[in-house]
Amino acid sequence: MPVVCGKCRSTKAEVQIPYARLNLCPTCFVDFFVARVKKTIEEFNMFHENVTVGVAVSGGKDSAALLHAMRQIYPGIKLVALHINLGIPRYSDHCQTKIEELTDMLHVKLHVFDLYETLGVKIGDFKKTSFKEKLCSVCGTIKRRIFEEMAMKTRVQVLATGHNLEDIAGIMFNNFLYGRWEQFVRVKPVLPPLAEGMASKVKPLIRSPGNENLLYCLYEGVPFREIDCPFSKGTGVRKSAEILETLARYNPYFKHQILNRFLEIMPLLENVKPKPSLGKCKVCGFPSSSETCAFCKRINLVKQLRKA
Ligand code: SF4
Ligand code: ZN
């Protein structure tokens, strides 16, 4: 006997939502997904409808699902897509093509920052520096800083990222294992602007598991990348994510519990270590807790190597 959708009770269910004990047909799943994104935006008061929202799109399923769902929820909002072409062979151009397809489909303006054209640097160049094979950490620092800059230049007041439930629960779990209490604030659902004129940062998919973002893309025909980044292997966060997945097999609600418990104690975690006061980077002028910001230090590493 086919399982019938638990919402409409008339169509065959295709999607199992184990943590909610729900089986849904494709139409009801899409409604369920979009409703949760909207509820999350409202729960954390992420933005009002009269602001310009920029969605940081990587080409992956999460940010693609986010941009598409945001367009459905807020058809009248000023929405732009921001993308960084990281100069990763084959991968970066493939991602950009998928994003162009998606933004054309949604009639959303796309802004692209080409790392090599603008700064003369590609992510692969960091292989020759002390980062060696650990390119995700340097890539993360570079992306965070460039998205801030792009948001300023495009007059985006709110920058939305596609961090999903596993990303956030994984980072929380990892920070907990290593006692990195001061790092917890980074995963807050809403981060205020670092300085005047900069964007606040929001994570509307914080309650959306990655496999549901994927299903949403498939059911809605949302284009997203079909190949993996060649530099993605073996990071610490990935190992914690595997541990989380194992635990979630025994308790489907486990990732949500991690997220909810840490969100509850976030105000306490924020005060474990005083926040460093922010000055300005002497090279780029962006807010920084040191004389030269982490971004400029890293870009300079590659430039120095070239000179040597
Ligand atoms: Fe950058 Fe790592 Fe993502 Fe590749 S997998 S795009 S190196 S963060
Ligand atoms: Zn700087």
Side-chain angles (χ1 to χ4, degrees), residues 74-129:
Y74 304 106
I77 204 172
K78 278 192 221 149
L79 194 61
V80 296
L82 308 178
H83 175 65
I84 305 168
N85 186 311
L86 297 160
I88 298 172
R90 201 163 91 86
Y91 175 77
S92 289
D93 288 343
H94 170 76
C95 288
Q96 192 172 324
T97 305
K98 291 290 171 185
I99 292 165
E100 284 165 356
E101 269 176 49
L102 172 63
T103 49
D104 282 353
M105 179 176 138
L106 298 175
H107 307 291
V108 167
K109 177 140 181 63
L110 169 66
H111 299 270
V112 178
F113 184 105
D114 190 300
L115 192 61
Y116 187 69
E117 271 177 22
T118 317
L119 296 171
V121 170
K122 294 178 181 178
I123 289 299
D125 293 339
F126 288 93
K127 274 191 173 182
K128 293 171 229 142
T129 68

Side-chain angles (χ1 to χ4, degrees), residues 63-250:
S63 52
L66 174 61
L67 184 67
H68 189 279
M70 295 258 298
R71 185 76 297 173
Q72 313 312 309
I73 302 167
Y74 304 106
I77 204 172
K78 278 192 221 149
L79 194 61
V80 296
L82 308 178
H83 175 65
I84 305 168
N85 186 311
L86 297 160
I88 298 172
R90 201 163 91 86
Y91 175 77
S92 289
D93 288 343
H94 170 76
C95 288
Q96 192 172 324
T97 305
K98 291 290 171 185
I99 292 165
E100 284 165 356
E101 269 176 49
L102 172 63
T103 49
D104 282 353
M105 179 176 138
L106 298 175
H107 307 291
V108 167
K109 177 140 181 63
L110 169 66
H111 299 270
V112 178
F113 184 105
D114 190 300
L115 192 61
Y116 187 69
E117 271 177 22
T118 317
L119 296 171
V121 170
K122 294 178 181 178
I123 289 299
D125 293 339
F126 288 93
K127 274 191 173 182
K128 293 171 229 142
T129 68
S130 50
F131 287 97
K132 293 198 169 84
E133 297 303 314
K134 292 186 182 159
L135 296 183
C136 291
S137 118
V138 67
C139 185
T141 307
I142 286 177
K143 285 190 289 196
R144 269 192 298 280
R145 163 62 168 69
I146 292 175
F147 277 131
E148 294 271 17
E149 189 179 323
M150 291 183 84
M152 280 177 88
K153 285 192 176 149
T154 54
R155 297 179 186 277
V156 155
Q157 289 132 303
V158 178
L159 178 64
T161 54
H163 292 95
N164 66 29
L165 173 67
E166 286 83 2
D167 294 330
I168 299 301
I171 297 170
M172 286 173 159
F173 192 54
N174 213 36
N175 287 342
F176 170 69
L177 292 179
Y178 293 99
R180 295 185 195 129
W181 307 111
E182 73 285 359
Q183 304 251 345
F184 270 91
V185 334
R186 275 207 198 165
V187 287
K188 280 172 69 177
V190 178
L191 291 172
L194 284 175
E196 216 188 305
M198 294 179 81
S200 63
K201 278 163 274 171
V202 300
K203 303 177 183 71
L205 297 188
I206 196 166
R207 297 201 184 281
S208 302
N211 63 343
E212 292 180 27
N213 297 339
L214 173 65
L215 279 176
Y216 178 80
C217 288
L218 296 173
Y219 285 136
E220 288 294 87
V222 176
F224 64 95
R225 68 173 167 81
E226 284 144 23
I227 56 175
D228 286 333
C229 172
F231 303 142
S232 70
K233 293 164 206 111
T235 63
V237 170
R238 199 167 255 240
K239 280 175 207 144
S240 304
E242 279 166 23
I243 300 173
L244 269 188
E245 285 310 322
T246 309
L247 295 170
R249 251 177 260 141
Y250 296 97

Side-chain angles (χ1 to χ4, degrees), residues 272-292:
V272 171
K273 275 198 185 168
K275 280 186 207 130
S277 57
L278 289 181
K280 279 188 178 176
C281 167
K282 68 174 186 191
V283 183
C284 68
F286 263 70
S288 170
S289 53
S290 52
E291 213 178 300
T292 307

